[in-house]
Amino acid sequence: MEPFEVHILGCGSALPTTRHNASSQVIRIGNKQFMIDCGEGTQLQLRRGHIHFSFINHIFISHLHGDHCFGLIGLISTFSLLGRTAPLHIYADPMLERIMEPQLKYFCKEIKYPIFFHSIDAGKHAVIFEDNTITVESLPLAHRIPCCGFLFKEKPKKRHLLGDVANIYNIPAYMRQSIKEGADFTTPEGDLIPNSRLTREADPSRSYAYCSDTLPCPGNNSYIKGVDLLYHEATFAESEKERAAITHHSTARQAATIAKEAEAKKLVIGHYSSRYDDEQILLEEARAIFPDSYCATEGAIFRI
Amino acid sequence: MEPFEVHILGCGSALPTTRHNASSQVIRIGNKQFMIDCGEGTQLQLRRGHIHFSFINHIFISHLHGDHCFGLIGLISTFSLLGRTAPLHIYADPMLERIMEPQLKYFCKEIKYPIFFHSIDAGKHAVIFEDNTITVESLPLAHRIPCCGFLFKEKPKKRHLLGDVANIYNIPAYMRQSIKEGADFTTPEGDLIPNSRLTREADPSRSYAYCSDTLPCPGNNSYIKGVDLLYHEATFAESEKERAAITHHSTARQAATIAKEAEAKKLVIGHYSSRYDDEQILLEEARAIFPDSYCATEGAIFRI
């Protein structure tokens, strides 16, 4: 199967620490790369992770707090210095374009590639990106300002043509696509070979959901039901539950409860408050509810 | 003597590398801290260097290229999260305020401290900051956009009162300041004790000059003559001399020539092009002209 990977570039929260960078991830699906959030220092994290700058064409910004978007202007400038010509698509609250406009005008005069801002309505569950193999949906979250999560889903895949059977029947190349899509085959002699004898089941369509920053939002469970991997913020431990509620963040236990209720296959927690010197307590609290929980950390790659 | 230190937070150039951060320094003079330039990731470098955020009240921006100012908005936000109430003064091209205005308005709504932008005319040599013990002068540089260096100078210091002599003559506390400033002392018996017998020479007034980004500007040599420490950009080696000229940068040899002609006591080079995997060639070329040359590196502290 083609790779479907989540590269963690930063999983800290608002206050910088020497242990965690501001939020950013790269989702690699096949030969495509998508970025989610772009806190300050993201471009350095890309360097450290040996991730190709030029393969990033789509950046999704969950919300307009600095730790999720202050790295954008530097990344855009660096793309330009590296000679980029391919368009860059940024999906965000429409305010982002207005805020960035004077910066782009001044700092990016010599830029040779177009930037397209796509407006997200953070309050809505909607398909915000689609290509031939994947869709990205917005997931309404509950934060202090408009904020949405993202659900990456592979589209249903084609069935696998059985190579030896295809040879026996001498199936011509031009027919192979339709057979992969479910068609039967009729031999030159007029025999109908049912698709089930020609193909085996398609690979499963995998999915990944990113939910940060937010209070727990069980309203999204139906959208993310059975998701292969859920990244959910867990800014606080249970002892800071009230603080989580006030600041519109989640505890590790709440993140795990969402994972359990949504029947996620795996949970990765992140967006740790700077108060934690290590995240063991968060991991333990998550695992008590949802055993298949893991801690995000800079440089980690989660494979789906 | 009180500390006079240059803390290197970043000494790379436009393209980020895993070895060097974008430009930023903290100048510590006594208990005061001044920042020069603030590239992306500066606040993380402050954390790594265990430098107190709250002691930084004045930030000097040499010019408006991203690698010298993209870290400002993150730093300003973090100051706010840390509960800062003290005013912050930013000295920069007036365009900076206009570019940052929409960002400050959106991201820093809850900010509890005032930010004052002080406009620098990069084409002029002028005193742009002054307090009771130091002055900061702008140094006109030659870059692709308006750009200036900075000269930090301690004001002339008071002479040292000789403790044992002061005791012998029983000099009252209220007279000590004027004696340190050069006054003689008349004993109750009417004997005049000349200042030279009461005091010894004042500590020398130290100085530091920052010249980046720029072509060599010998026109500044008279201003920085005899400077204790000169930080001069050396983006390129001599083999890239033409590229340096085109991009309005300096070679290491040119930086060293400035240091020699200005009779600087010590040279630190920085702002290395990302093409160099190590800076040995730059250091060698500088030392061939000016032996007391050193390479800036992240985390280094140069004491004056």
Side-chain angles (χ1 to χ4, degrees), chain B residues 16-79:
Chain B
T17 70
T18 50
R19 299 182 54 249
H20 292 298
N21 279 69
S23 289
S24 186
Q25 308 187 344
V26 165
I27 319 305
R28 185 174 165 214
I29 305 175
N31 57 3
K32 300 167 196 168
Q33 288 185 161
F34 303 88
M35 179 174 278
I36 298 178
D37 285 340
C38 187
E40 184 177 352
T42 291
Q43 59 168 329
L44 260 175
Q45 291 297 93
L46 282 177
R47 282 266 186 239
R48 289 193 187 108
H50 304 287
I51 296 171
H52 280 293
F53 283 53
S54 59
F55 292 169
I56 296 170
N57 298 318
H58 302 274
I59 303 178
F60 298 84
I61 302 292
S62 62
H63 66 299
L64 302 189
H65 276 157
D67 56 324
H68 293 255
C69 63
F70 281 170
L72 263 179
I73 185 68
L75 187 60
I76 288 170
S77 300
T78 295
F79 279 156

XYZ file of all heavy atoms in Angstrom, chain B residues 16-79:
511
model
N 16.668 28.898 5.858
C 16.895 28.216 7.133
C 17.719 26.954 6.940
O 17.619 26.289 5.912
C 15.486 27.845 7.594
C 14.694 27.724 6.337
C 15.297 28.705 5.371
N 18.543 26.640 7.893
C 19.288 25.385 7.879
C 19.124 24.742 9.252
O 18.612 25.368 10.180
C 20.795 25.611 7.613
O 21.367 26.242 8.767
C 21.032 26.482 6.392
N 19.572 23.510 9.367
C 19.486 22.880 10.683
C 20.640 23.355 11.566
O 20.675 23.058 12.754
C 19.553 21.349 10.555
O 20.673 21.020 9.737
C 18.295 20.813 9.896
N 21.577 24.106 10.997
C 22.735 24.545 11.769
C 22.595 25.970 12.286
O 23.172 26.318 13.321
C 24.017 24.409 10.938
C 24.294 22.947 10.529
C 25.582 22.808 9.766
N 26.683 23.376 10.503
C 27.331 24.483 10.156
N 27.003 25.123 9.059
N 28.308 24.939 10.886
N 21.891 26.810 11.533
C 21.821 28.211 11.935
C 20.401 28.756 11.904
O 19.652 28.506 10.966
C 22.706 29.063 11.035
C 24.164 28.781 11.214
N 24.807 28.981 12.419
C 25.090 28.292 10.371
C 26.078 28.627 12.286
N 26.275 28.195 11.064
N 20.096 29.526 12.931
C 18.817 30.223 12.994
C 18.908 31.559 12.286
O 19.996 32.057 12.023
C 18.452 30.473 14.461
C 17.841 29.244 15.092
O 18.535 28.255 15.303
N 16.557 29.286 15.360
N 17.766 32.150 12.040
C 17.730 33.485 11.448
C 18.305 34.490 12.451
O 18.404 34.218 13.645
C 16.297 33.839 11.068
N 18.674 35.664 11.919
C 19.428 36.638 12.722
C 18.706 37.104 13.982
O 17.541 37.509 13.929
C 19.741 37.873 11.867
O 20.698 37.549 10.894
N 19.412 37.078 15.070
C 18.983 37.728 16.304
C 20.112 37.664 17.324
O 20.898 36.712 17.335
C 17.734 37.069 16.887
O 17.276 37.822 18.006
N 20.192 38.708 18.123
C 21.191 38.773 19.187
C 20.568 39.480 20.386
O 19.661 40.295 20.224
C 22.408 39.622 18.762
C 23.023 39.238 17.462
C 24.312 39.996 17.172
O 24.599 41.015 17.813
N 25.068 39.488 16.226
N 21.082 39.157 21.551
C 20.745 39.958 22.720
C 22.033 40.577 23.246
O 23.038 39.876 23.437
C 20.043 39.118 23.808
C 20.033 39.862 25.142
C 18.617 38.810 23.384
N 22.005 41.881 23.440
C 23.159 42.597 23.986
C 22.847 42.862 25.452
O 21.846 43.516 25.763
C 23.389 43.953 23.266
C 23.182 43.815 21.752
C 24.753 44.524 23.623
C 24.006 42.753 21.089
N 23.674 42.335 26.308
C 23.458 42.530 27.738
C 24.490 43.513 28.250
O 25.702 43.287 28.136
C 23.594 41.185 28.446
C 23.264 41.297 29.910
C 23.255 39.941 30.587
N 23.296 40.173 32.033
C 23.914 39.398 32.903
N 24.537 38.306 32.492
N 23.928 39.698 34.186
N 24.019 44.619 28.783
C 24.932 45.632 29.334
C 24.453 45.910 30.754
O 23.380 46.485 30.955
C 24.923 46.929 28.494
C 25.230 46.605 27.025
C 25.938 47.936 29.048
C 25.127 47.798 26.091
N 25.251 45.469 31.729
C 24.800 45.566 33.118
C 23.547 44.724 33.263
O 23.506 43.575 32.821
N 22.490 45.313 33.819
C 21.247 44.539 33.966
C 20.241 44.850 32.859
O 19.066 44.532 32.972
C 20.621 44.770 35.348
C 20.362 46.246 35.589
O 20.599 47.071 34.696
N 19.895 46.583 36.773
N 20.734 45.502 31.793
C 19.831 45.815 30.671
C 20.075 44.838 29.527
O 21.196 44.404 29.310
C 20.105 47.244 30.164
C 19.887 48.309 31.209
C 20.483 49.631 30.740
C 20.622 50.589 31.906
N 21.441 51.770 31.552
N 19.010 44.549 28.808
C 19.128 43.662 27.662
C 18.483 44.316 26.444
O 17.346 44.779 26.518
C 18.446 42.325 27.940
C 19.216 41.479 28.916
C 18.618 40.098 29.124
O 19.278 39.202 29.590
N 17.364 39.930 28.786
N 19.203 44.315 25.342
C 18.691 44.878 24.093
C 18.721 43.778 23.048
O 19.682 43.010 22.977
C 19.586 46.039 23.631
C 19.731 47.127 24.658
C 20.735 47.067 25.630
C 18.856 48.201 24.679
C 20.862 48.048 26.593
C 18.972 49.190 25.642
C 19.987 49.125 26.599
N 17.683 43.733 22.246
C 17.685 42.747 21.172
C 17.985 43.433 19.847
O 17.492 44.534 19.581
C 16.329 42.036 21.093
C 16.259 41.002 19.970
S 14.711 40.048 19.985
C 15.113 38.837 21.239
N 18.812 42.790 19.031
C 19.025 43.244 17.658
C 18.475 42.170 16.730
O 18.870 41.008 16.820
C 20.517 43.452 17.338
C 21.126 44.527 18.238
C 20.700 43.849 15.870
C 22.624 44.742 17.988
N 17.580 42.560 15.874
C 16.936 41.675 14.902
C 16.195 40.534 15.597
O 16.468 40.193 16.759
C 17.932 41.166 13.854
C 18.269 42.273 12.838
O 17.489 43.236 12.729
O 19.313 42.171 12.175
N 15.242 40.000 14.870
C 14.341 39.025 15.495
C 13.765 38.120 14.407
O 12.592 38.187 14.081
C 13.248 39.776 16.259
S 12.197 38.692 17.246
N 14.622 37.280 13.850
C 14.177 36.339 12.822
C 13.264 35.267 13.412
O 13.141 35.140 14.639
N 12.640 34.520 12.531
C 11.744 33.443 12.969
C 12.485 32.491 13.926
O 13.617 32.104 13.683
C 11.237 32.660 11.749
C 10.229 31.581 12.120
C 9.670 30.839 10.904
O 9.949 31.255 9.765
O 8.952 29.845 11.105
N 11.816 32.137 15.000
C 12.397 31.190 15.956
C 13.196 31.856 17.066
O 13.722 31.174 17.945
N 13.247 33.193 17.058
C 14.040 33.888 18.077
C 13.560 33.568 19.485
O 14.368 33.337 20.392
C 14.006 35.405 17.824
O 14.736 35.681 16.617
C 14.629 36.180 18.969
N 12.248 33.522 19.683
C 11.762 33.268 21.049
C 12.191 31.882 21.546
O 12.460 31.710 22.733
C 10.256 33.468 21.153
C 9.422 32.594 20.260
C 7.941 32.676 20.650
O 7.604 32.875 21.810
N 7.060 32.524 19.680
N 12.288 30.931 20.636
C 12.771 29.609 21.042
C 14.248 29.673 21.426
O 14.689 29.013 22.364
C 12.591 28.617 19.900
C 11.363 27.728 20.028
C 11.193 26.857 18.801
C 11.465 26.860 21.279
N 14.994 30.470 20.701
C 16.414 30.638 21.012
C 16.607 31.328 22.359
O 17.558 31.027 23.085
C 17.109 31.439 19.901
C 17.221 30.685 18.587
C 18.079 29.447 18.737
O 17.594 28.345 18.988
N 19.386 29.620 18.610
N 15.723 32.253 22.673
C 15.773 32.888 24.001
C 15.581 31.827 25.081
O 16.295 31.801 26.083
C 14.663 33.933 24.138
C 14.866 35.288 23.465
C 13.617 36.145 23.655
C 16.084 36.014 24.032
N 14.611 30.953 24.863
C 14.355 29.860 25.814
C 15.594 28.982 25.960
O 16.014 28.662 27.070
C 13.222 28.974 25.312
C 11.862 29.542 25.532
C 11.276 29.029 26.855
N 9.894 29.479 26.972
C 9.437 30.224 27.971
N 10.218 30.611 28.952
N 8.182 30.587 27.989
N 16.135 28.610 24.810
C 17.301 27.720 24.854
C 18.468 28.389 25.568
O 19.251 27.725 26.233
C 17.730 27.343 23.424
C 16.755 26.401 22.770
C 17.317 25.767 21.499
N 16.245 25.011 20.857
C 15.614 25.360 19.739
N 15.982 26.446 19.079
N 14.644 24.629 19.244
N 18.587 29.701 25.424
C 19.704 30.426 26.039
C 19.406 30.865 27.464
O 20.230 31.534 28.081
N 18.245 30.469 27.981
C 17.840 30.848 29.346
C 17.950 32.358 29.547
O 18.474 32.831 30.565
C 18.675 30.108 30.393
C 18.612 28.623 30.234
N 17.491 27.877 30.555
C 19.501 27.736 29.729
C 17.707 26.609 30.286
N 18.920 26.483 29.781
N 17.499 33.106 28.573
C 17.538 34.566 28.660
C 16.154 35.039 29.101
O 15.139 34.607 28.556
C 17.918 35.175 27.298
C 19.343 34.740 26.930
C 17.790 36.698 27.318
C 19.756 35.090 25.518
N 16.136 35.907 30.103
C 14.855 36.374 30.635
C 14.119 37.231 29.615
O 14.622 38.257 29.183
C 15.078 37.198 31.906
C 15.286 36.331 33.108
N 14.286 35.539 33.620
C 16.375 36.119 33.877
C 14.751 34.885 34.667
N 16.024 35.200 34.844
N 12.918 36.782 29.275
C 12.100 37.534 28.325
C 11.784 38.935 28.861
O 11.726 39.890 28.110
C 10.773 36.799 28.079
C 10.879 35.613 27.163
C 11.798 34.598 27.386
C 10.054 35.508 26.054
C 11.878 33.497 26.536
C 10.130 34.419 25.195
C 11.039 33.413 25.435
N 11.582 39.020 30.174
C 11.040 40.263 30.717
C 12.061 41.391 30.752
O 11.703 42.544 30.951
C 10.485 40.024 32.119
O 11.522 39.538 32.956
N 13.336 41.065 30.575
C 14.348 42.123 30.619
C 14.559 42.773 29.249
O 15.353 43.695 29.112
C 15.691 41.578 31.117
C 15.675 41.174 32.570
C 16.733 40.455 33.120
C 14.613 41.523 33.395
C 16.723 40.084 34.457
C 14.590 41.150 34.730
C 15.647 40.429 35.264
N 13.860 42.272 28.250
C 14.032 42.849 26.909
C 12.981 43.926 26.694
O 11.789 43.645 26.572
C 13.911 41.746 25.830
C 15.055 40.750 26.018
C 13.940 42.358 24.420
C 14.926 39.505 25.192
N 13.426 45.142 26.666
C 12.499 46.268 26.508
C 12.714 47.035 25.211
O 11.894 47.861 24.837
C 12.658 47.239 27.695
C 12.298 46.560 29.013
O 11.317 45.819 29.086
N 13.102 46.790 30.041
N 13.833 46.770 24.554
C 14.172 47.515 23.339
C 14.644 46.535 22.267
O 15.564 45.756 22.499
C 15.285 48.525 23.626
C 14.925 49.502 24.704
N 14.235 50.667 24.446
C 15.114 49.464 26.047
C 14.029 51.316 25.587
N 14.562 50.606 26.580
N 13.986 46.595 21.119
C 14.361 45.721 20.010
C 14.715 46.587 18.805
O 13.918 47.448 18.399
C 13.216 44.754 19.645
C 12.817 43.917 20.871
C 13.615 43.853 18.483
C 11.659 42.962 20.633
N 15.901 46.366 18.266
C 16.384 47.137 17.118
C 16.365 46.246 15.877
O 16.992 45.181 15.871
C 17.803 47.640 17.386
C 17.892 48.560 18.568
C 18.014 48.065 19.861
C 17.812 49.945 18.398
C 18.075 48.911 20.959
C 17.867 50.805 19.488
C 17.998 50.281 20.775
N 15.647 46.672 14.854
C 15.533 45.870 13.634
C 16.346 46.548 12.526
O 16.058 47.682 12.139
C 14.056 45.726 13.207
C 13.227 45.084 14.323
C 13.939 44.950 11.891
C 13.547 43.635 14.627
N 17.351 45.833 12.033
C 18.257 46.428 11.037
C 17.560 46.735 9.720
O 17.794 47.768 9.113
C 19.444 45.487 10.786
O 18.985 44.252 10.248
N 16.705 45.809 9.279
C 16.001 46.019 8.011
C 14.873 45.009 7.872
O 14.821 44.014 8.607
C 16.973 45.917 6.821
C 17.566 44.562 6.597
N 18.362 43.920 7.537
C 17.483 43.699 5.543
C 18.743 42.743 7.060
N 18.221 42.580 5.851
N 13.997 45.266 6.924
C 12.779 44.473 6.821
C 12.892 43.334 5.807
O 12.086 43.226 4.890
C 11.589 45.391 6.500
C 11.351 46.513 7.512
C 10.038 47.222 7.241
C 11.403 45.999 8.940
N 13.892 42.502 5.992
C 13.881 41.202 5.333
C 13.436 40.196 6.386
O 13.768 40.335 7.572
C 15.269 40.856 4.775
C 15.527 41.443 3.420
N 16.786 41.672 2.926
C 14.657 41.852 2.449
C 16.697 42.203 1.700
N 15.415 42.327 1.397
N 12.688 39.190 5.902
C 12.038 38.270 6.831
C 12.959 37.627 7.840
O 12.596 37.447 9.002
N 14.182 37.299 7.417
C 15.084 36.599 8.333
C 15.600 37.514 9.442
O 16.371 37.076 10.296
C 16.252 35.943 7.573
C 17.043 36.921 6.727
O 16.428 37.852 6.152
O 18.274 36.773 6.624
N 15.149 38.768 9.446
C 15.550 39.692 10.506
C 14.357 40.176 11.337
O 14.556 40.905 12.303
C 16.302 40.886 9.913
C 17.621 40.488 9.320
N 18.828 40.746 9.918
C 17.912 39.791 8.185
C 19.809 40.250 9.177
N 19.272 39.662 8.115
N 13.143 39.796 10.945
C 11.979 40.317 11.696
C 10.775 39.390 11.790
O 9.812 39.734 12.478
C 11.557 41.670 11.130
S 10.998 41.603 9.421
N 10.796 38.231 11.157
C 9.592 37.378 11.199
C 9.323 36.791 12.584
O 8.242 36.242 12.822
C 9.695 36.234 10.178
C 9.375 36.644 8.760
C 9.630 35.761 7.704
C 8.830 37.881 8.460
C 9.329 36.120 6.390
C 8.539 38.249 7.148
C 8.788 37.363 6.116
N 10.265 36.879 13.484
C 10.035 36.349 14.833
C 9.374 37.337 15.774
O 9.017 36.990 16.898
N 9.202 38.577 15.311
C 8.675 39.621 16.198
C 7.269 39.319 16.708
O 7.008 39.417 17.910
C 8.638 40.959 15.452
C 9.797 41.920 15.665
C 9.567 43.168 14.819
C 9.951 42.302 17.139
N 6.380 38.951 15.788
C 4.979 38.781 16.197
C 4.842 37.651 17.223
O 4.078 37.778 18.194
C 4.053 38.577 14.962
C 2.589 38.517 15.380
C 4.433 37.340 14.146
C 2.037 39.803 15.910
N 5.619 36.598 17.063
C 5.582 35.500 18.027
C 6.126 35.938 19.380
O 5.576 35.591 20.429
N 7.188 36.714 19.349
C 7.788 37.194 20.596
C 6.828 38.133 21.328
O 6.641 38.027 22.548
C 9.108 37.915 20.281
C 9.943 38.328 21.484
C 10.352 37.127 22.319
C 11.188 39.107 21.040
N 6.208 39.018 20.568
C 5.249 39.965 21.152
C 4.078 39.207 21.789
O 3.639 39.529 22.892
C 4.761 40.952 20.058
C 5.880 41.939 19.703
C 3.501 41.695 20.504
C 5.607 42.793 18.476
N 3.598 38.178 21.107
C 2.495 37.363 21.649
C 2.916 36.653 22.927
O 2.154 36.586 23.898
C 2.064 36.307 20.633
O 1.621 36.902 19.452
N 4.124 36.121 22.905
C 4.597 35.391 24.079
C 4.800 36.331 25.263
O 4.446 35.985 26.402
C 5.889 34.626 23.734
O 5.559 33.626 22.766
C 6.489 33.949 24.953
N 5.341 37.499 25.004
C 5.442 38.504 26.077
C 4.069 38.672 26.746
O 3.949 38.733 27.964
C 5.858 39.861 25.497
C 7.340 40.008 25.232
C 7.797 40.938 24.285
C 8.289 39.268 25.919
C 9.153 41.105 24.036
C 9.652 39.435 25.677
C 10.074 40.359 24.738
